[in-house]
């Protein structure tokens, strides 16, 4: 299979396609660590060409942290790696805008409603606000947007249908507060995590709903109190979905009963994902996905990120310190997605220097004039294959980066090497070809003077003069924009 053609179809530079086509690339097996088997499994998709992936997306009730973004970064590398290997992707990600309770289980308030009350907004306003911020972060991190994005509140009929099927098949029962999934009806529970059902039974907590048949039974559908903000008609009266049913219903709708890969953060293993599996086994007797891939946590200075410690960082905090947000993506590549990663500002500074060196290295090759001989090509082919093997080995990014650095440090500089770096960047997604990395643009004195004069004209409400100066600034190659946060000057 020659995958270069498909890889570079969207690139403007046809030359890249041509050069990469000439390279002799081997097919390399892909191995992924599968939480279901607790082993690195050889990856074999159900369909030869298209890989189907489902990722649990954000609950849009607060800002996404850089910890949340670490999970999104590893999921981005996964899809980019699969595309590098010639696969097309159908990737579905949900937006949870209802049903995720504060306790991550069946207790507490709905996170959306709690946030709406605290911020004096409607749940819809909260969802819209935080969904937009989430996608802004993905864009800043050059994370590819999944092919399908589905909001939970738009799939209520599919969820209801799923619950009805579980009730009909005898896997669910009604109490005065909810419709519960009966885990004792399964041949095996748990299958993904290390939950100890027997131990939990012995020490069952007294505050758990006494109507539950088993402590691990979980709510599929929750009956809404009278003044509850988000509720829908159902055979059980006004009610709303449980958190786990959302993903089961939406993945079935878009990917079918069985698909290739299911991803999420490590905290989802014993709760959300275990219960998604229970639901799909109940409804069709199968585990919904063949490979379950989970990303480890980001730590801050060696500990947890928490509001009380005042160490919750957002991507905007990194940007506000003047760093390119892709510096954070590069920091994530210093560790395997399966290991804890420690965030420090020193780490960000070091990654910032690395990003600058990578981009400068790319430019040096783009403008390089050295001629490559047979020996050089052999060595570059070796590095290309090593990179390929590293990304295919459960996305070993620290190892993959070591080969990127070898290419950057290669003694000869040539556009052919720059093109190899561009190929690597289809997986890294760090915009290696971006010029002037982390450098402030030097604005000529005369342009700054015109900008000052325009500011003065605007203060005096002399709009004609302001427009004249804007045109003059434009002639000098700069564009001024007036925003509600002040004026922005861009080089054209
Ligand atoms: P939360 O904002 O706590 O609801 O988290 C949403 C998802 O982001 C979780 O399911 C985790 O998988 C992931 N996540 C939260 N915190 C971190 C962290 N510090 N590092 C990596 N992933 C995280
Ligand atoms: Zn989910």
């Amino acid at each position: 299979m020659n995958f270069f053609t498909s890889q570079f179809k969207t690139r403007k530079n046809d030359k890249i396609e041509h050069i990469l086509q000439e390279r002799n690339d081997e097919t390399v097996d892909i191995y992924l660590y599968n939480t279901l088997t607790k082993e690195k499994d050889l990856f074999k998709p159900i369909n030869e060409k298209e890989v189907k992936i489902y990722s649990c997306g954000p609950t849009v009730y607060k800002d996404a942290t850089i910890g949340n973004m670490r999970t999104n970064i590893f999921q981005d590398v996964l899809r980019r790696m699969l595309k590098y290997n010639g696969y097309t992707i159908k990737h579905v990600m949900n937006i949870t805008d209802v049903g995720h309770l504060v306790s991550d289980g069946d207790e507490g308030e709905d996170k959306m409603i709690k946030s709406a009350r605290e911020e004096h907004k409607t749940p819809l306003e909260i969802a819209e606000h935080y969904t937009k911020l989430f996608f802004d972060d993905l864009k800043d991190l050059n994370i590819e947007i999944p092919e399908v994005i589905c909001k939970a509140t738009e799939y209520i009929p599919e969820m209801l249908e799923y619950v009805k099927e579980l009730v009909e098949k005898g896997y669910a029962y009604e109490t005065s507060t909810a419709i519960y999934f009966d885990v004792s009806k399964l041949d095996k529970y748990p299958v993904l995590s290390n939950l100890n059902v027997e131990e939990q039974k012995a020490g069952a907590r007294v505050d758990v709903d006494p109507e539950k048949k088993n402590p691990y039974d979980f709510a599929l559908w929750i009956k809404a109190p009278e003044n509850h903000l988000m509720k829908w008609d159902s055979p059980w009266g006004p009610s709303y979905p449980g958190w786990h049913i959302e993903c089961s219903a939406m993945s079935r709708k878009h990917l079918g009963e069985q698909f290739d890969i299911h991803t999420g953060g490590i905290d989802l293993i014993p709760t959300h994902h275990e219960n998604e599996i229970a639901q799909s086994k109940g409804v069709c007797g199968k585990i919904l996905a063949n490979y379950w891939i989970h990303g480890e946590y980001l730590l801050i200075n060696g500990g947890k990120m928490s509001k009380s410690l005042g160490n919750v960082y957002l991507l905007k905090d990194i940007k506000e310190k003047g760093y390119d947000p892709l510096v954070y993506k590069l920091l994530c590549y210093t560790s395997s997605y399966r290991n804890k990663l420690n965030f420090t500002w020193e780490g960000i500074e070091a990654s910032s220097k690395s990003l600058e060196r990578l981009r400068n290295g790319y430019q040096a090759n783009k403008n390089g004039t050295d001629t490559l001989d047979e020996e050089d090509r052999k060595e570059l082919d070796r590095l290309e294959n090593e990179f390929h093997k590293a990304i295919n080995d459960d996305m070993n990014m620290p190892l993959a980066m070591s080969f990127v650095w070898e290419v950057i440090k290669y003694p000869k500089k040539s556009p052919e090497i720059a093109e190899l770096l561009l190929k690597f960047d289809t997986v890294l997604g760090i915009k290696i070809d971006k010029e002037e990395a982390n450098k402030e643009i030097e604005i000529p004195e005369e342009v700054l003077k015109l900008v000052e004069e325009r500011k003065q004209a605007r203060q005096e409400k002399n709009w004609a003069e302001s427009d004249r100066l804007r045109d003059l600034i434009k002639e000098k190659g700069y564009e001024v924009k007036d925003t509600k946060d002040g004026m922005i000057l861009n080089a054209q």
Side-chain angles (χ1 to χ4, degrees):
M1 164 178 50
N2 191 327
F3 51 79
F4 300 131
T5 335
S6 62
Q7 268 295 308
F8 286 88
K9 270 212 170 108
T10 50
R11 284 233 175 245
K12 283 169 258 149
N13 192 347
D14 289 344
K15 211 169 132 230
I16 299 170
E17 213 175 289
H18 171 70
I19 287 172
L20 290 171
Q21 268 175 352
E22 283 185 356
R23 284 182 185 279
N24 243 343
D25 203 82
E26 298 164 7
T27 303
V28 180
D29 285 339
I30 299 173
Y31 285 87
L32 293 171
Y33 182 84
N34 189 352
T35 311
L36 198 58
T37 59
K38 314 271 183 297
E39 285 189 30
K40 258 192 215 174
D41 287 340
L42 176 66
F43 178 66
K44 278 202 190 128
I46 296 167
N47 179 309
E48 209 186 312
K49 295 218 166 67
E50 187 186 55
V51 179
K52 292 185 177 164
I53 311 173
Y54 187 90
S55 295
C56 290
T59 304
V60 280
Y61 70 108
K62 61 168 189 184
D63 289 306
T65 67
I66 53 172
N68 302 139
M69 284 300 138
R70 185 183 184 204
T71 300
N72 288 97
I73 288 171
F74 107 73
Q75 290 167 174
D76 187 50
V77 172
L78 172 67
R79 28 174 309 140
R80 287 170 177 272
M81 177 274 282
L82 291 165
K83 283 165 87 174
Y84 191 95
N85 283 277
Y87 292 110
T88 54
I89 310 285
K90 183 167 182 191
H91 186 186
V92 179
M93 180 192 271
N94 68 297
I95 302 287
T96 298
D97 54 358
V98 66
H100 192 171
L101 304 189
V102 170
S103 72
D104 274 7
D106 301 325
E107 292 153 53
E109 208 175 348
D110 186 305
K111 290 184 179 186
M112 297 299 301
I113 294 178
K114 183 168 184 278
S115 203
R117 199 188 60 246
E118 287 168 359
E119 294 193 29
H120 307 291
K121 289 183 177 151
T122 64
L124 183 68
E125 283 168 341
I126 291 288
E128 279 178 357
H129 176 72
Y130 290 112
T131 302
K132 182 185 175 304
L133 292 184
F134 174 76
F135 281 103
D136 286 350
D137 280 359
L138 294 194
K139 187 160 185 266
D140 278 344
L141 287 167
N142 196 21
I143 288 175
E144 295 182 345
I145 307 296
E147 284 67 25
V148 181
I149 300 289
C150 38
K151 276 195 231 167
T153 47
E154 291 174 359
Y155 290 79
I156 299 292
E158 285 81 1
M159 295 179 206
L160 258 177
E161 179 53 37
Y162 208 111
V163 179
K164 279 187 210 159
E165 284 176 46
L166 286 172
V167 173
E168 277 160 22
K169 291 185 170 153
Y171 283 93
Y173 60 94
E174 184 178 359
T175 71
S176 59
T177 56
I179 310 303
Y180 279 112
F181 188 96
D182 185 346
V183 298
S184 68
K185 291 277 159 64
L186 294 168
D187 56 340
K188 196 166 177 267
Y189 182 92
V191 297
L192 195 65
S193 58
N194 301 320
L195 291 174
N196 189 332
V197 179
E198 288 312 310
E199 211 171 80
Q200 172 74 3
K201 264 187 195 159
R205 284 161 47 196
V206 277
D207 58 346
V208 168
D209 183 347
E211 292 180 75
K212 271 194 196 183
K213 292 185 184 169
N214 313 285
Y216 278 112
D217 289 354
F218 55 90
L220 295 165
W221 204 259
I222 303 161
K223 296 181 186 175
E226 200 154 307
N227 54 359
H228 197 82
L229 282 179
M230 287 192 283
K231 56 190 170 192
W232 290 265
D233 283 336
S234 81
W236 309 283
S239 42
Y240 58 97
W243 175 32
H244 319 304
I245 202 71
E246 300 179 2
C247 290
S248 290
M250 292 188 281
S251 64
R252 181 167 76 165
K253 166 93 179 176
H254 290 292
L255 300 174
E257 282 180 343
Q258 257 192 321
F259 51 94
D260 299 299
I261 305 176
H262 199 311
T263 72
I266 196 157
D267 56 318
L268 301 183
I269 299 172
T271 52
H272 189 50
H273 288 172
E274 193 67 78
N275 293 339
E276 272 186 58
I277 290 178
Q279 290 167 162
S280 75
K281 281 180 77 178
V283 98
C284 68
K286 297 176 204 155
I287 294 179
L288 58 163
N290 292 336
Y291 300 84
W292 290 77
I293 306 183
H294 293 100
E296 248 294 356
Y297 259 49
L298 177 82
L299 304 180
I300 307 285
N301 293 321
K304 249 193 110 169
M305 222 188 306
S306 93
K307 264 193 190 154
S308 58
L309 294 171
N311 65 1
V312 174
Y313 293 124
L314 312 183
L315 194 63
K316 91 170 182 292
D317 298 319
I318 295 178
K319 280 165 51 182
E320 274 169 11
K321 284 192 188 253
Y323 293 108
D324 183 324
L326 292 171
V327 164
Y328 177 61
K329 203 174 197 187
L330 202 54
L331 178 74
C332 289
Y333 297 162
T334 59
S335 163
S336 152
Y337 74 96
R338 284 202 290 127
N339 290 335
K340 291 188 172 63
L341 170 67
N342 194 26
F343 176 89
T344 59
W345 287 107
E346 292 76 29
I348 283 287
E349 182 53 32
S351 292
S352 171
K353 294 215 169 78
S354 296
L355 185 60
E356 192 173 340
R357 281 176 58 209
L358 288 168
R359 286 175 174 169
N360 289 341
Y362 169 80
Q363 292 299 331
N365 276 295
K366 194 178 148 206
N367 303 318
T369 51
D370 292 332
T371 309
L372 301 184
D373 58 25
E374 262 320 286
E375 277 302 296
D376 297 317
R377 291 223 162 75
K378 226 168 111 188
E379 178 58 4
L380 289 164
D381 277 348
R382 182 187 74 79
L383 292 170
E384 183 179 348
N385 282 331
E386 292 295 346
F387 175 87
H388 194 173
K389 277 194 270 178
I391 58 167
N392 281 17
D393 181 13
D394 198 30
M395 298 176 274
N396 189 339
M397 296 310 281
L399 185 61
M401 284 310 298
S402 73
F403 298 116
V404 176
W405 282 112
E406 278 197 53
V407 172
I408 290 279
K409 288 178 193 158
Y410 200 70
K412 289 189 180 172
K413 303 292 166 208
S414 130
E416 204 172 324
I417 297 177
E419 279 143 17
L420 178 60
L421 290 166
L422 271 187
K423 185 182 174 199
F424 290 165
D425 198 38
T426 62
V427 178
L428 308 178
I430 54 169
K431 299 190 178 170
I432 202 163
D433 53 344
K434 190 170 161 189
E435 285 183 66
E436 303 293 339
N438 300 320
K439 278 186 213 147
E440 289 192 7
I441 307 163
E442 288 242 351
I443 303 165
E445 215 35 68
E446 53 172 344
V447 175
L448 287 176
K449 198 162 160 278
L450 290 172
V451 168
E452 272 310 309
E453 286 176 20
R454 184 169 175 273
K455 233 194 242 168
Q456 186 66 31
R458 287 177 70 78
Q459 268 165 16
E460 291 164 8
K461 300 203 182 337
N462 186 346
W463 309 122
E465 175 67 356
S466 160
D467 287 349
R468 187 186 73 80
L469 288 162
R470 178 207 295 269
D471 293 344
L472 257 179
I473 294 167
K474 200 165 183 186
E475 274 172 33
K476 311 260 176 232
Y478 292 83
E479 194 187 24
V480 273
K481 272 194 192 138
D482 302 300
T483 72
K484 63 176 174 19
D485 297 317
M487 202 198 69
I488 295 172
L489 188 66
N490 287 322
Q492 287 181 315

